[in-house]
C-alpha cells in the first residue's frame, strides 16, 4: 500500500475511535492495564536499586569510608563494595608478615589512625538491648549512642521529624519504637535501672536501609555509662571494644583501591566512598581471583529464568488482553468495512483500517499505561517503602525502559489486531452490509491441537525445570505454548460449559447459551480474562511457596503463643522472689492456663543456686550413631576422628526443634502439655515411674539413654589449656515418645534426675494460653516485673512472620489490579458487543430488570470461564520456577555439596477461591449496574 493509503486508514481509524467513545475507552483501558503493571514494576525495581552514591550514603553517611577490624593478625580479601570478604590467618608455626605482626600487637583503633593520618574515627554498630518504659508499661528495645548533630550520619541515619538530641537527657527514636511503645515526641522514657533519670524523646531517626528497627539513640556517653553504673553485674562495663568505624578524613582526603588493599593486609575490611564511585577492574581485585580458584563455573539458572519469564509472560498477557478489544472493534465496524469493500476497496485496505485502529488505540493505551503506572508508584511510594522496610534510593524513572515498555505495548497491540484484521478482510460484503452471518461451530482439530500444546508445554516447562536443562527457553517457551494451547481449546470448552445451562435459572441459562452461540465474541473475552488471571495466579503461587519455604526454615524456640518467664539475674536461687515474679505474670496477663515449672539437670549433684557454674547435661546419640569425636580425650584424637561419616552428619544443619530452656529438661506432666503439646497418659505414667522420655530419634539403645554431665573447668584445667571440664556419662532408663512439638530431646522427673546423681536448677515457668497476650499487656507486665527485678526475662513466642519484599508486593498488587481490571473491561466489551440482543429483548417486551440480569450473567459467565482456565494456566510457570530454584540451590555439608533442596510448592487455596468467586461476582454486579433500564431500539439492516 502507498503511504497515502496508510494516512487515510489512520484518519478513518482515528475518527472511528472518536465516534465510538465508549468502546474506544474500553479498548484503551484493556491495552493500558498490562502496560501500567509492567511500567509500575519497572519503576519499583529501578527505584530500589541504589546508585553508587546512594549506596555510599547508606553505608557510611558523609564519611569517606566504613572500616571494620575483621581479622587482627590476619589478611582480608574483599570485594570492592566490602559486602563480600574472606580472611586468611597464618597457619600455626608459619611466619607472619610485618603487617600481620603489627596488626596483632596494636589496638585496632590506634592502628587505623596510624595508617590514615588525620582520620577521625566515629564508632558505629554499637547498639545494646535493654528495656525501657512505654505508655503501657515496659518493653525491650535496642539503644545506641550517636551524635545526630554530626553531619557524618546524614544519609545513614536521618532525623525525619523533630530535632536531634543535643543534651545528655534527650533521645531520638525510630518510628517503629514510637508505634509499639505508644509514645510521641516530647514524651519521656526511662531505661532499666535508670527510673529516676528519664530521657526526653526529641525526634524521629530513620535508617533508610532498615525501617523496621526498634531503637533509641542517645548522645555519646549519655546512655551506656549510666546503664553500666546502674547494673554493673549484667551490663558490659569498661571500655567498649568497637570494631567498626566511620572514617572522616581531612578535606580532599580519600581512600582509593590501593589504600583499601593496604588496609586489608592489616586485617581491616573497608567500604570506601571513592571505590564505590570508581570501582576497580575485576582483574585488580584479589578476592575475585581467589574465588575463581575454588569455585566452579556454576551459574544459578533460576535467576536467568526469572529475568526472561516475567517480561515474556507480560508480553503474552498484553497480546491476549488487546486481542478481544480489536476483535470487538472490528465487529462493531462491520458495516463500515463492508461499505469500504463495496466502494472498491480491496482486502488490503480493509486490513489497513483495522491495523490502523490498533496503532491509534495501541499508542494511546501505551501512553496511558506509562503515565498510570508511574503515577501510581509515585502516589503509593510511602506505603510501598514501609511495606518493604527500606526507602527507595530515589524515584527512578528510566526513559529507555519506559519507551521499550511503550513500544512493546504498541507492537503487541498491532499483533493483536492482525487476526481481527485478517478476519474482517475475508468477510462477505453482503453479510457485512446486512449485519448477518452466523457463528461457526468449534473446530475439533484445533481443540485437539490446543490440548496437545497444553500437555506438551506443561511437560516441557516441568522437565526443563527438574533437569535444569535449557531452563530459560524451556520455562518461557513451555509456559507460552501451554497458554496458547489453552486459548485454542477455548471455543470447544465454551461449548462444554454450555451444557451446564440446563441446571441453571432463566437469566444465567440464557446468558450461558448466548455465550455458546456467539463463540466469536465470547472466546476472545474469555482469553483476555484467562491471561490476566494466569498472571495473578502465577505470582500468587510463587509468593505463597516462598512464604511456605520461609515458614519451614523458621525455627521457633517455643510453641506459638507460649509465654515464658526465665529465672536468672539477681533473683536466681531466691524462690520467694521468683514466686512473686511468677504471680505477677499470671495476674497481669490473666487466663494463661496451666503453669509448667521448668527445671534443668546439672552435673553437680543437689540443688544449684549458682547458675551455669553447676555444669551442663546433654543427651548423646546411641553408641552406633555417635560421632567418635564425642568420646575423644585429646584434640589430636578428635581431629583424627572428625572424618567419620557420623561426624559429618552431625555437622549438617539439624531440623530438630530446640527451646530456650535447654536440650535436657526436668519437669512434670504440665511441661509435657505446654512445651511438647503431649497429652499421653502412657508417657505421663512412664515419667512418674522414673523413666526418661526421649523425643528425638537415635538416642535410645537397650532401653536407656546416655546423658553426659560436664562440670565447669577448674582454673588449673584452664591454665593447662583444657577448657572442657570433668565429664561423666550416666545411663537412664528411657522410652522413646512421639510428640507433636518435640522442642526437647529428653524430659525426666526430678526423682529420676536425683537417682542418676544429677543436680537440679530452676530455669523458669512456661504457659500455653489459648491466645497469645497482646503487646500492650506484655509491656505492662514487663513494667511491673522491672520494678521487682529488672534482670528477669519475659518472652512471648509470636510465631512465624514472613519477610517482606517491596518488589514482590508491587508485583502482586499490579497482577491483582490487572486481573480485576481485565475482567471488568473484557466483559464490558462483550456486553457492548451484545447490545443488539438487548435491543431485541426490549422489542419483545422484556423488562429492564430482565435485561440487566441477562447482561450481568453474560459478563459473569465470561469472567467465570476465564478465571477457571486462568487458574490452570497460571500454575505452570509458578510450579516450574519453584522446581528450578530448588534444583539450583545446593545443600552443603562440611564444605561439600551433597545435593539440592527439596522444592516447596504451596497453593494459596483461600486466595484462589476468592479469585474464582470474586471476579465473576464483580463482573455480574458491574454489568448489571451499568446496563440501562431503557434502551433505544437499533435498526437491523436487511
Amino acid at each position: 500500500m502507498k503511504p497515502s493509503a496508510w494516512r487515510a486508514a489512520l484518519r478513518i481509524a482515528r475518527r472511528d475511535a472518536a465516534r465510538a467513545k465508549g468502546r474506544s475507552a474500553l479498548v484503551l483501558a484493556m491495552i493500558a492495564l498490562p502496560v501500567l503493571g509492567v511500567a509500575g514494576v519497572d519503576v519499583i525495581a529501578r527505584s530500589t536499586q541504589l546508585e553508587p552514591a546512594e549506596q555510599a550514603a547508606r553505608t557510611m553517611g558523609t564519611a569517606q569510608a566504613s572500616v571494620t577490624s575483621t581479622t587482627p593478625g590476619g589478611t582480608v580479601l574483599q570485594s570492592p563494595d566490602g559486602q563480600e570478604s574472606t580472611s586468611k590467618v597464618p597457619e600455626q608455626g608459619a611466619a607472619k608478615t610485618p603487617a600481620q605482626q603489627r596488626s596483632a600487637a596494636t589496638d585496632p583503633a590506634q592502628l587505623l589512625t596510624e595508617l590514615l593520618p588525620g582520620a577521625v574515627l566515629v564508632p558505629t554498630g554499637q547498639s545494646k538491648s535493654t528495656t525501657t518504659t512505654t505508655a503501657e508499661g515496659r518493653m525491650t528495645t535496642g539503644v545506641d549512642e550517636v551524635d545526630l548533630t554530626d553531619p557524618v550520619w546524614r544519609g545513614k541515619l536521618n532525623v525525619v521529624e523533630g530535632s536531634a538530641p543535643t543534651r545528655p537527657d534527650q533521645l531520638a527514636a525510630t518510628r517503629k519504637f514510637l508505634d509499639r511503645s505508644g509514645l510521641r515526641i516530647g514524651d519521656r522514657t526511662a531505661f532499666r535501672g535508670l527510673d529516676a533519670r528519664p530521657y526526653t524523646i526529641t525526634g524521629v531517626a530513620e535508617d533508610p536501609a532498615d525501617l523496621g528497627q526498634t531503637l533509641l539513640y542517645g548522645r555519646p556517653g549519655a546512655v551506656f555509662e549510666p546503664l553500666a553504673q546502674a547494673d554493673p553485674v549484667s551490663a558490659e562495663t569498661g571500655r567498649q571494644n568497637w570494631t567498626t568505624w566511620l572514617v572522616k578524613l581531612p578535606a580532599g582526603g580519600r581512600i582509593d583501591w590501593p589504600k583499601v588493599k593496604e588496609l586489608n593486609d592489616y586485617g581491616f575490611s573497608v567500604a570506601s566512598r571513592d571505590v564505590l564511585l570508581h570501582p576497580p577492574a575485576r582483574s585488580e581485585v584479589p578476592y575475585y581471583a581467589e574465588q575463581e580458584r575454588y569455585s566452579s563455573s556454576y551459574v544459578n539458572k533460576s535467576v536467568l529464568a526469572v529475568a526472561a519469564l516475567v517480561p515474556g509472560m507480560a508480553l503474552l498477557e498484553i497480546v491476549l488482553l488487546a486481542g478481544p478489544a480489536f476483535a470487538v472493534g472490528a465487529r462493531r465496524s462491520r458495516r463500515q468495512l463492508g461499505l469500504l469493500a463495496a466502494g472498491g476497496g480491496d482486502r488490503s485496505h480493509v486490513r489497513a483500517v483495522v491495523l490502523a485502529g490498533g496503532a491509534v488505540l495501541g499508542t494511546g493505551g501505551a501512553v496511558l499505561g506509562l503515565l498510570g503506572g508511574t503515577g501510581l508508584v509515585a502516589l503509593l511510594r510511602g506505603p510501598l517503602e514501609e511495606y518493604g522496610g527500606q526507602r527507595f534510593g530515589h524515584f527512578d524513572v528510566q526513559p529507555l525502559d519506559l519507551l521499550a515498555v511503550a513500544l512493546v505495548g504498541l507492537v503487541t497491540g498491532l499483533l493483536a489486531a492482525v487476526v481481527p484484521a485478517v478476519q474482517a478482510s475475508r468477510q462477505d460484503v453482503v453479510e457485512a452490509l446486512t449485519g448477518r452471518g452466523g457463528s461457526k461451530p468449534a473446530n475439533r482439530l484445533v481443540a485437539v491441537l490446543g490440548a496437545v500444546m497444553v500437555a506438551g508445554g506443561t511437560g516441557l516447562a516441568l522437565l526443563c525445570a527438574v533437569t535444569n536443562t535449557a531452563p530459560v527457553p524451556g520455562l518461557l517457551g513451555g509456559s507460552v505454548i501451554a497458554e496458547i494451547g489453552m486459548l485454542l481449546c477455548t471455543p470447544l470448552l465454551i461449548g462444554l460449559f454450555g451444557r451446564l445451562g440446563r441446571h441453571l435459572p432463566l437469566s444465567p441459562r440464557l446468558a450461558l447459551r448466548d455465550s455458546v452461540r456467539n463463540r466469536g465474541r465470547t472466546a476472545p473475552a474469555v482469553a483476555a480474562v484467562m491471561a490476566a488471571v494466569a498472571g495473578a495466579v502465577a505470582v500468587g503461587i510463587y509468593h505463597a511457596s516462598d512464604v511456605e519455604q520461609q515458614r519451614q526454615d523458621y525455627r521457633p524456640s517455643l510453641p506459638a503463643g507460649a509465654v515464658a518467664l526465665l529465672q536468672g539475674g539477681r533473683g536466681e536461687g531466691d524462690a520467694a522472689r521468683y514466686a512473686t515474679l511468677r504471680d505477677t505474670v499470671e495476674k497481669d496477663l490473666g487466663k494463661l492456663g496451666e503453669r509448667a515449672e521448668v527445671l534443668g539437670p546439672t552435673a553437680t549433684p543437689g540443688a544449684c543456686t549458682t547458675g551455669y557454674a553447676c555444669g551442663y547435661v546433654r543427651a548423646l546419640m546411641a553408641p552406633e550413631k555417635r560421632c567418635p569425636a564425642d568420646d575423644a580425650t585429646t584434640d589430636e584424637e578428635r581431629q583424627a576422628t572428625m572424618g567419620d561419616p557420623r561426624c559429618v552428619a552431625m555437622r549438617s544443619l539439624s531440623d530438630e526443634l530446640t527451646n530456650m530452656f535447654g536440650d535436657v529438661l526436668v519437669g512434670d506432666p504440665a511441661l509435657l502439655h505446654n512445651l511438647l503439646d503431649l497429652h499421653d497418659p502412657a508417657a505421663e505414667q512412664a515419667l512418674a515411674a522414673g523413666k526418661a522420655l526421649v523425643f528425638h530419634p537415635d538416642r535410645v539403645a537397650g532401653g536407656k539413654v546416655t546423658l553426659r554431665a560436664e562440670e565447669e573447668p577448674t582454673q588449673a584445667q584452664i591454665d593447662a589449656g583444657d577448657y572442657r571440664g570433668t565429664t561423666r556419662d550416666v545411663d537412664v532408663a528411657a522410652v522413646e515418645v512421639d510428640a507433636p512439638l518435640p522442642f526437647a530431646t529428653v524430659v525426666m522427673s526430678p526423682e529420676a534426675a536425683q537417682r542418676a546423681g544429677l543436680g537440679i536448677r530452676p530455669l523458669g515457668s512456661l504457659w500455653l494460653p489459648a491466645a497469645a497476650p497482646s503487646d500492650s499487656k506484655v509491656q505492662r507486665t514487663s513494667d511491673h516485673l522491672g520494678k521487682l527485678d529488672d534482670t528477669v526475662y519475659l518472652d512471648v513466642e509470636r510465631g512465624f512472620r514472613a519477610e517482606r519484599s517491596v518488589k514482590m508486593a508491587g508485583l502482586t498488587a499490579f497482577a491483582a489490579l490487572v486481573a480485576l481490571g481485565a475482567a471488568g473491561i473484557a466483559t464490558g466489551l462483550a456486553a457492548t458487543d451484545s447490545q443488539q440482543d438487548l435491543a431485541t429483548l426490549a422489542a419483545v417486551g422484556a423488562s429492564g430488570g430482565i435485561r440487566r440480569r441477562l447482561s450481568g450473567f453474560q459478563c459473569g459467565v465470561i469472567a467465570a470461564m476465564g478465571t477457571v482456565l486462568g487458574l490452570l494456566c497460571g500454575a505452570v510457570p509458578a510450579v516450574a520456577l519453584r522446581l528450578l530454584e530448588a534444583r539450583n540451590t545446593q545443600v552443603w555439608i562440611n564444605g561439600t555439596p551433597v545435593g539440592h533442596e527439596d522444592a516447596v510448592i504451596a497453593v494459596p487455596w483461600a486466595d484462589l477461591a476468592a479469585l474464582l468467586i470474586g471476579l465473576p461476582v464483580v463482573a455480574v454486579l458491574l454489568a448489571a449496574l451499568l446496563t440501562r433500564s431503557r434502551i433505544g431500539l437499533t435498526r437491523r439492516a436487511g
Side-chain angles (χ1 to χ4, degrees):
M1 286 179 57
K2 296 180 180 180
S4 58
W6 279 108
R7 286 196 298 270
L10 288 171
R11 187 164 57 251
I12 293 173
R14 179 178 57 81
R15 291 175 177 175
D16 181 65
R19 183 168 56 251
K21 294 182 175 62
R23 187 185 74 233
S24 299
L26 290 176
V27 174
L28 286 173
M30 183 69 83
I31 298 172
L33 263 179
V35 174
L36 179 147
V38 175
V41 171
D42 178 80
V43 172
I44 291 175
R46 289 292 189 178
S47 299
T48 54
Q49 294 175 354
L50 302 181
E51 300 289 340
E54 295 165 346
Q55 181 63 47
R58 294 197 180 180
T59 304
M60 63 200 72
T62 60
Q64 293 303 311
S66 173
V67 182
T68 301
S69 177
T70 305
T71 314
T75 302
V76 172
L77 300 178
Q78 68 163 78
S79 59
D81 59 5
Q83 294 185 2
E84 301 177 26
S85 66
T86 184
S87 300
K88 287 187 173 183
V89 179
E91 297 182 3
Q92 190 172 5
K96 292 185 176 181
T97 65
Q100 292 171 341
Q101 295 175 5
R102 184 180 176 188
S103 172
T106 310
D107 176 76
Q110 178 184 345
L111 176 60
L112 190 57
T113 54
E114 293 173 358
L115 296 173
L116 300 172
V120 177
L121 306 185
V122 180
T124 182
Q126 49 187 315
S127 62
K128 294 182 180 181
S129 179
T130 184
T131 63
T132 190
T133 56
T134 66
E136 296 289 347
R138 183 174 290 273
M139 64 177 278
T140 300
T141 183
V143 60
D144 204 344
E145 288 187 347
V146 173
D147 182 7
L148 291 175
T149 62
D150 189 341
V152 73
W153 294 99
R154 189 178 305 122
K156 180 177 176 63
L157 195 60
N158 303 317
V159 178
V160 295
E161 188 176 343
S163 60
T166 56
R167 300 202 312 264
D169 63 343
Q170 294 179 341
L171 297 170
T174 61
R175 176 62 61 189
K176 184 67 173 293
F177 173 86
L178 295 180
D179 292 341
R180 285 194 59 199
S181 66
L183 300 177
R184 295 292 179 264
I185 294 177
D187 291 342
R188 310 184 81 184
T189 185
F191 294 119
R192 182 177 67 191
L194 299 176
D195 296 280
R197 184 180 170 179
Y199 293 78
T200 302
I201 300 174
T202 63
V204 177
E206 176 184 279
D207 179 355
D210 188 358
L211 304 180
Q213 295 184 96
T214 303
L215 271 173
L216 291 170
Y217 300 96
R219 298 277 303 171
V223 178
F224 292 155
E225 188 63 28
L227 282 175
Q229 294 173 357
D231 189 4
V233 176
S234 59
E236 295 177 13
T237 58
R239 182 176 179 178
Q240 299 295 324
N241 182 27
W242 311 130
T243 59
T244 302
W245 303 269
L246 301 182
V247 179
K248 296 191 292 184
L249 296 177
R254 64 191 184 95
I255 299 178
D256 56 14
W257 182 239
K259 192 65 177 179
V260 169
K261 293 195 291 183
E262 179 187 345
L263 293 173
N264 291 161
D265 293 337
Y266 289 90
F268 294 102
S269 61
V270 184
S272 165
R273 181 181 302 275
D274 185 75
V275 174
L276 285 173
L277 297 178
H278 308 95
R282 187 178 181 87
S283 60
E284 299 178 17
V285 183
Y287 171 79
Y288 292 145
E290 186 77 6
Q291 293 297 104
E292 290 172 0
R293 287 178 56 192
Y294 297 102
S295 63
S296 63
S297 57
Y298 169 75
V299 177
N300 190 337
K301 298 178 181 178
S302 64
V303 177
L304 302 177
V306 171
L309 192 61
V310 172
M313 296 304 293
L315 186 67
L316 177 63
E317 186 171 322
I318 293 175
V319 172
L320 295 182
L321 286 174
F326 295 118
V328 169
R331 282 196 300 274
R332 298 289 290 176
S333 303
R334 287 182 69 195
R335 181 176 176 79
Q336 175 184 315
L337 297 175
L339 289 173
L340 177 64
D346 57 23
R347 290 185 174 184
S348 63
H349 293 108
V350 175
R351 286 196 298 267
V353 170
V354 178
L355 289 174
V360 170
L361 296 177
T363 302
V367 172
L368 288 177
L370 292 182
L371 296 177
T374 306
L376 195 59
V377 174
L379 183 65
L380 299 177
R381 176 177 178 176
L384 285 172
E385 291 174 335
E386 294 290 340
Y387 182 86
Q390 61 179 359
R391 297 293 180 199
F392 290 171
H394 61 285
F395 189 73
D396 193 355
V397 177
Q398 292 286 335
L400 291 180
D401 284 7
L402 298 185
L403 178 60
V405 173
L407 289 177
V408 167
L410 173 59
V411 171
T412 52
L414 287 173
L415 292 176
V418 168
V419 173
V422 172
Q423 291 176 341
S425 65
R426 292 178 177 178
Q427 67 180 347
D428 184 86
V429 176
V430 176
E431 290 184 352
L433 292 175
T434 59
R436 296 192 178 97
S439 60
K440 297 180 180 179
N443 191 319
R444 293 183 179 273
L445 291 178
V446 172
V448 171
L449 175 62
V452 172
M453 292 178 65
V454 170
T458 302
L460 176 64
L462 297 180
L463 180 63
C464 291
V466 172
T467 61
N468 202 26
T469 304
V472 174
L475 263 68
L476 178 59
S479 300
V480 170
I481 290 172
E483 194 159 335
I484 293 177
M486 189 67 75
L487 176 64
L488 297 179
C489 294
T490 300
L492 183 63
L493 293 176
I494 292 174
L496 296 178
F497 278 118
R499 297 182 180 181
L500 301 175
R502 70 186 68 175
H503 308 293
L504 299 177
L506 175 63
S507 294
R509 183 168 68 250
L510 288 176
L512 189 57
R513 290 177 176 174
D514 178 74
S515 298
V516 174
R517 186 173 61 253
N518 296 282
R519 288 188 179 94
R521 73 176 181 223
T522 303
V526 170
V529 177
M530 178 191 73
V533 170
V537 169
V539 173
I541 293 178
Y542 180 86
H543 180 58
S545 301
D546 184 57
V547 171
E548 182 60 27
Q549 178 79 62
Q550 297 177 34
R551 190 188 311 278
Q552 293 184 13
D553 293 340
Y554 174 71
R555 288 292 176 267
S557 58
L558 291 172
V563 178
L565 179 66
L566 273 67
Q567 186 169 349
R570 289 191 289 267
E572 186 165 18
D574 189 339
R577 177 194 288 265
Y578 180 74
T580 303
L581 298 171
R582 185 181 58 208
D583 294 342
T584 300
V585 172
E586 293 182 329
K587 178 182 177 181
D588 288 356
L589 296 183
K591 296 182 179 179
L592 291 178
E594 182 182 26
R595 181 181 73 238
E597 297 300 337
V598 187
L599 309 173
T602 62
T604 304
C608 175
T609 59
T610 55
Y612 293 104
C614 299
Y616 306 85
V617 176
R618 62 188 178 94
L620 298 180
M621 302 287 284
E624 66 276 7
K625 299 287 187 179
R626 189 183 311 164
C627 172
D630 280 348
D631 300 320
T633 57
T634 64
D635 288 339
E636 291 78 9
E637 190 177 347
R638 286 188 202 95
Q639 292 296 330
T641 58
M642 286 305 288
D644 189 284
R646 292 169 292 181
C647 300
V648 174
M650 180 189 69
R651 292 195 300 272
S652 64
L653 293 177
S654 174
D655 58 356
E656 295 179 348
L657 294 175
T658 58
N659 70 87
M660 62 176 56
F661 293 107
D663 180 49
V664 181
L665 300 176
V666 176
D668 57 12
L671 181 61
L672 305 180
H673 303 161
N674 291 357
L675 181 63
L676 306 161
D677 193 25
L678 181 64
H679 301 268
D680 185 354
E684 295 178 14
Q685 290 174 6
L687 183 67
K691 292 186 177 182
L693 306 183
V694 181
F695 303 100
H696 292 163
D698 300 329
R699 265 74 171 185
V700 178
K704 293 186 177 181
V705 62
T706 301
L707 304 179
R708 176 158 294 174
E710 181 176 336
E711 299 179 2
E712 283 289 294
T714 63
Q715 189 60 47
Q717 289 174 315
I718 295 175
D719 294 339
D722 184 6
Y723 295 95
R724 296 182 63 180
T726 304
T727 62
R728 57 190 173 91
D729 290 348
V730 178
D731 290 333
V732 180
V735 58
E736 191 168 319
V737 180
D738 290 329
L741 299 174
F743 275 101
T745 302
V746 176
V747 173
M748 64 178 68
S749 65
E751 295 78 15
Q754 292 171 356
R755 283 196 300 269
L758 303 175
I760 296 176
R761 170 178 177 256
L763 300 177
S765 301
L766 180 67
W767 298 265
L768 188 61
S774 64
D775 196 35
S776 60
K777 282 188 175 182
V778 174
Q779 291 181 28
R780 285 195 297 269
T781 306
S782 298
D783 181 46
H784 295 161
L785 290 174
K787 294 175 181 177
L788 299 171
D789 184 348
D790 57 12
T791 62
V792 298
Y793 179 67
L794 178 67
D795 182 70
V796 178
E797 175 58 54
R798 298 294 181 184
F800 167 74
R801 297 182 181 181
E803 297 178 2
R804 292 180 173 182
S805 167
V806 65
K807 292 181 181 179
M808 182 56 70
L811 196 60
T812 303
F814 281 116
L817 178 63
V818 170
L820 186 63
I825 296 170
T827 53
L829 284 169
T832 300
D833 201 26
S834 62
Q835 287 300 307
Q836 282 190 346
D837 296 334
L838 296 179
T840 302
L841 284 174
V844 298
S847 66
I850 292 178
R851 293 196 302 274
R852 282 194 298 271
R853 286 195 297 273
L854 178 61
S855 178
F857 282 114
Q858 283 176 329
C859 296
V861 165
I862 291 172
M865 289 188 288
T867 303
V868 170
L869 300 182
L871 292 178
L872 300 176
C873 291
V876 174
V879 172
L881 188 56
R882 290 296 300 177
L883 292 172
L884 180 65
E885 287 183 339
R887 182 66 175 75
N888 280 270
T889 303
Q890 293 182 329
V891 177
W892 296 74
I893 295 179
N894 198 30
T896 303
V898 296
H900 306 277
E901 278 190 353
D902 294 331
V904 176
I905 300 173
V907 180
W909 295 110
D911 294 342
L912 297 187
L915 189 67
L916 181 61
I917 298 173
L919 275 184
V921 170
V922 169
V924 169
L925 295 178
L926 285 177
L929 289 174
L930 297 178
T931 299
R932 291 176 295 177
S933 298
R934 295 183 179 180
I935 187 169
L937 297 182
T938 58
R939 179 181 63 85
R940 284 189 176 273

